[in-house]
Structure formats: C-alpha cells, structure tokens
Amino acid sequence: KIIHQRIIDRMSTKAEIRQRNKQRYLSQRNLAQSQQEQDDAAKSKLTLALTRGLEWEKDDLCEVIHWVRQIVGIVIGVVWGLLPLTGFVGILSFGMTNAVIVFVYYSKYLGVDDDDFGRWDLLVEGFMPSFGLFLVSWTVTYSLRFYSNEL
C-alpha cells in the first residue's frame, strides 16, 4: 500500500509539473502574440489613415485625426517660417488652414460623415498639441532663415 501511494504521489506531482510547464508556455505564447498584435495595430493605423471609404470607430478616427493634425502643424510651421509670416496673422492663418485641411481630410478623403462622430469633436481633436508643434517649428524655421547670421 505504501509503495502504491508513493507511485500515485509521483504521478500526480509529474502531472502538476507538466500542467505548470504547459501554463507557462501558453502564457509566453500569448504574450508574444499580444506584442505582435500591438505591432500590427500600429502598422494598420497608418494603413487605415490612407484608405478611403472605411467604417470607422470613433476612437480610431480620433486617433488618426490627432496624428494627421500633428503632421499638418509641423508642415505649416515650417512653411510659415520660410515665408515671412509673423504675429497674429500667422497664428490666425494657422488655425484656419489647420482646420480646413483636417476637415477636408476626414470629410472628403476618408468620406466620414461628421454628424455621426460630432463635428466639433473631430475639429478640435489634437488641436492644442498641433498648435504647440506649429509654434516650435515656425519659430525655429523663421529664426534659422532670418537670423542665422547673428547666431
């Protein structure tokens, strides 16, 4: 009886070890898959941003608009810095240009009906960070172009 009990104990211990190893393997595999899914999601956001006529979730659309607006802010800042635009005219024209470009992007290019997502939400998504990037790129470009001899 004692020998029989020891054999059963060893078998159950081996089964527990196998079960733990299997769980570890599965958790490592799931971790690797989730990392791959995150990488694929980042790549797919860029693909989605360039694809017309898709059905959008509000969070995905807002994220894409946010990043497009950041790029637009940097580009406008560089252009305004190369042109001698200064003061209130430069800031006001940035706001209008940024709003128009983003509006045309999501309504005409992506074909999104802004009534479904809220026009105001889409128009202001990421505006302040874009404004900050605009100011930095505008100031740096303008300073390098017109004051580089003094530095």
Side-chain angles (χ1 to χ4, degrees):
K1 253 183 166 176
I2 295 174
I3 294 173
H4 189 290
Q5 185 62 33
R6 286 184 183 172
I7 292 172
I8 291 174
D9 288 344
R10 283 186 186 170
M11 288 174 60
S12 65
T13 304
K14 287 181 182 180
E16 289 171 1
I17 291 171
R18 270 189 249 122
Q19 183 66 26
R20 275 186 267 149
N21 287 341
K22 184 177 178 181
Q23 287 173 348
R24 258 190 239 132
Y25 169 75
L26 290 174
S27 67
Q28 289 173 348
R29 192 175 90 192
N30 289 341
L31 182 64
Q33 284 177 343
S34 69
Q35 183 64 34
Q36 182 65 31
E37 289 170 0
Q38 288 174 355
D39 293 344
D40 291 345
K43 291 177 188 174
S44 68
K45 293 282 186 197
L46 178 60
T47 304
L48 289 175
L50 300 174
T51 306
R52 294 177 175 214
L54 295 176
E55 292 294 321
W56 287 91
E57 295 291 324
K58 184 171 182 173
D59 291 340
D60 292 337
L61 181 61
C62 287
E63 185 177 348
V64 166
I65 288 174
H66 174 87
W67 290 110
V68 166
R69 191 179 294 268
Q70 305 320 303
I71 294 167
V72 168
I74 292 171
V75 169
I76 293 173
V78 169
V79 171
W80 270 218
L82 293 174
L83 301 173
L85 283 176
T86 59
F88 187 70
V89 172
I91 292 173
L92 187 63
S93 61
F94 160 75
M96 293 183 339
T97 305
N98 191 318
V100 167
I101 288 173
V102 171
F103 177 76
V104 168
Y105 168 73
Y106 75 74
S107 67
K108 302 296 183 198
Y109 183 79
L110 294 180
V112 171
D113 183 16
D114 55 2
D115 291 332
D116 296 339
F117 298 101
R119 178 173 291 154
W120 183 251
D121 291 340
L122 296 179
L123 280 177
V124 299
E125 180 65 38
F127 182 79
M128 289 311 290
S130 175
F131 182 64
L133 288 171
F134 160 73
L135 286 177
V136 169
S137 61
W138 182 30
T139 305
V140 168
T141 305
Y142 186 87
S143 297
L144 288 175
R145 172 128 195 259
F146 295 104
Y147 297 108
S148 62
N149 295 336
E150 296 176 16
L151 297 175

